[in-house]
Amino acid sequence: MRVKHKPWAKDRLQEFPAIYIENPEELKGKWQEVFGNNNPIHIEIGSGKGQFVSGMAKANPNINYIGIEMIESVLVSALDKAIEADVPNLRLVARDAKLLEECFEKGEIAQIYLNFSDPWPKKRHTKRRLTNPTFLTIYERLLPKTGEIHFKTDNRSLFEYSLVAFSEYNLLLTFVSLDLHNSDYEGNIKTEYEEKFSAKGFPIYRLEAKFDRN
């Protein structure tokens, strides 16, 4: 989807240093100091306009959340939602997922959310998918032994690809739903895309997985 460029976005983000972290690389291994507690840290990669991560932070005050979105013109909308939610356990970062290891120490992240990631349907773009083995290697380094990945999408092809990629990478699938909104799963917080696609009758696919490191 084409994103409208907002030249003022960076300046707007910089007005709220308590929420927007401009230089996350400087905080590698120090994120619990940023939040001022020892609560687990969950990150959402590709936060978009921030409805999910703000909702999660409000629903779970004993967990720290970091929303990561590389496009500042989109992240500024997440900032507005974070301000409205008024949650001290949420920070926002503008970075490409490929650079996450520059921002977080090994095992520093307890859980990763991938919600409605770009499906990159063309075969030549497979390596850009956030569930590609290249990214799974990064996630494995960031997560502790008990860390998990939670993934949601409306794109069946991406979901099928991800199931195979996760399994071949030796991840354990602990939850799989082919129609989340008609399942008995409780506590689901919707993203903007999720509301849009489910309203059109599209099923929402979801999985939970963890690395088999016993």
Side-chain angles (χ1 to χ4, degrees), residues 141-158:
R141 292 170 183 158
L142 296 181
L143 292 167
K145 187 175 181 179
T146 56
E148 297 184 358
I149 299 173
H150 292 189
F151 173 59
K152 284 196 291 187
T153 183
D154 67 299
N155 189 292
R156 186 179 180 90
S157 294
L158 178 61

Side-chain angles (χ1 to χ4, degrees), residues 39-212:
N39 293 338
I41 298 172
H42 293 190
I43 65 174
E44 182 189 17
I45 302 173
S47 291
K49 296 181 179 180
Q51 179 169 298
F52 175 84
V53 74
S54 290
M56 291 293 286
K58 199 169 189 69
N60 303 286
N62 293 324
I63 297 175
N64 298 320
Y65 291 88
I66 303 173
I68 300 169
E69 169 60 53
M70 68 178 182
I71 303 174
E72 292 173 342
S73 293
V74 176
L75 191 63
V76 73
S77 295
L79 173 69
D80 291 337
K81 285 188 172 62
I83 294 169
E84 181 181 356
D86 190 24
V87 281
N89 57 326
L90 174 60
R91 300 293 185 275
L92 301 175
V93 167
R95 283 296 181 277
D96 191 306
K98 293 182 292 186
L99 304 176
L100 289 177
E101 288 184 276
E102 298 179 8
C103 305
F104 301 103
E105 193 61 76
K106 181 178 180 180
E108 192 169 19
I109 303 304
Q111 195 155 292
I112 292 173
Y113 300 95
L114 304 171
N115 293 317
F116 298 84
S117 309
D118 192 325
W120 293 107
K122 295 181 180 179
K123 189 173 182 179
R124 69 176 183 271
H125 293 152
T126 299
K127 290 185 178 180
R128 299 186 184 185
R129 297 172 187 165
L130 291 180
T131 54
N132 180 274
T134 300
F135 286 105
L136 296 181
T137 299
I138 295 174
Y139 307 153
E140 184 175 20
R141 292 170 183 158
L142 296 181
L143 292 167
K145 187 175 181 179
T146 56
E148 297 184 358
I149 299 173
H150 292 189
F151 173 59
K152 284 196 291 187
T153 183
D154 67 299
N155 189 292
R156 186 179 180 90
S157 294
L158 178 61
F159 193 71
E160 291 175 348
Y161 166 84
S162 302
L163 286 172
V164 173
F166 281 34
S167 297
E168 290 181 347
Y169 199 92
N170 205 30
L171 278 129
L172 298 174
L173 299 171
T174 58
F175 176 90
V176 175
S177 175
L178 302 180
D179 191 355
L180 178 63
H181 294 176
N182 288 312
S183 71
D184 57 1
Y185 181 82
E186 297 180 356
N188 180 54
I189 290 180
K190 297 179 182 179
T191 75
E192 292 90 347
Y193 276 114
E194 187 172 353
E195 290 182 343
K196 175 183 175 181
F197 290 120
S198 62
K200 293 181 178 181
F202 289 91
I204 303 302
Y205 307 100
R206 186 178 186 276
L207 68 79
E208 298 178 8
K210 60 182 179 180
F211 293 95
D212 187 6

